[in-house]
Amino acid sequence: MRFNLSFVALSLGALFTASCATTPAPAPPTPQAVVIVPPAPAVRGELIGLTAGELVQRLGTPALQVREGQGLKLQFRGSNCILDAYLYTPPSGQGVERVAHVDARLRSGADTDQRGCVAALEGA
């Protein structure tokens, strides 16, 4: 069996060129952390998304401030109602604590309308 030297040389040259011609795929872009900041409440009486400072500006000095786990509870008391605002840091763990939940109740302990309680506290 006889080998054709020119065929072997061409085949090896083609393989060598093909292996050198490939370039690595560009690295995918590094994902950037996205910080989502809730917008300031547009509805009067809505507190979700406010910072502690914004809450104090609207409702005055809290009657009670308690650190509960990773959250912060601020309690505001008026003549007719009590409002508890629960603030947490964003899920990323970075950023300022913001109101995530609010409970409003009458002094008797019965639930009451949050907006009405906020309006009463803002007027106090």
Side-chain angles (χ1 to χ4, degrees), residues 15-112:
L15 285 174
F16 180 75
T17 304
S19 67
C20 292
T22 59
T23 57
T30 305
Q32 298 295 323
V34 176
V35 177
I36 299 173
V37 177
V43 179
R44 180 175 168 79
E46 184 62 44
L47 304 176
I48 302 297
L50 292 179
T51 64
E54 293 166 336
L55 205 54
V56 169
Q57 283 180 331
R58 284 187 64 176
L59 305 178
T61 304
L64 182 66
Q65 181 173 326
V66 180
R67 183 67 60 188
E68 293 182 343
Q70 294 191 10
L72 174 65
K73 172 184 167 182
L74 298 180
Q75 186 176 88
F76 299 89
R77 297 179 189 153
S79 58
N80 294 329
C81 68
I82 298 170
L83 185 130
D84 294 322
Y86 299 88
L87 295 88
Y88 296 93
T89 55
S92 67
Q94 298 177 338
V96 68
E97 293 173 320
R98 294 187 177 272
V99 177
H101 181 76
V102 177
D103 285 325
R105 63 186 178 281
L106 299 175
R107 288 200 164 266
S108 66
D111 287 341
T112 190

Side-chain angles (χ1 to χ4, degrees), residues 44-45 58-59 81 113-124:
R44 180 175 168 79
R58 284 187 64 176
L59 305 178
C81 68
D113 175 59
Q114 175 188 324
R115 288 192 175 104
C117 185
V118 169
L121 289 168
E122 287 177 329

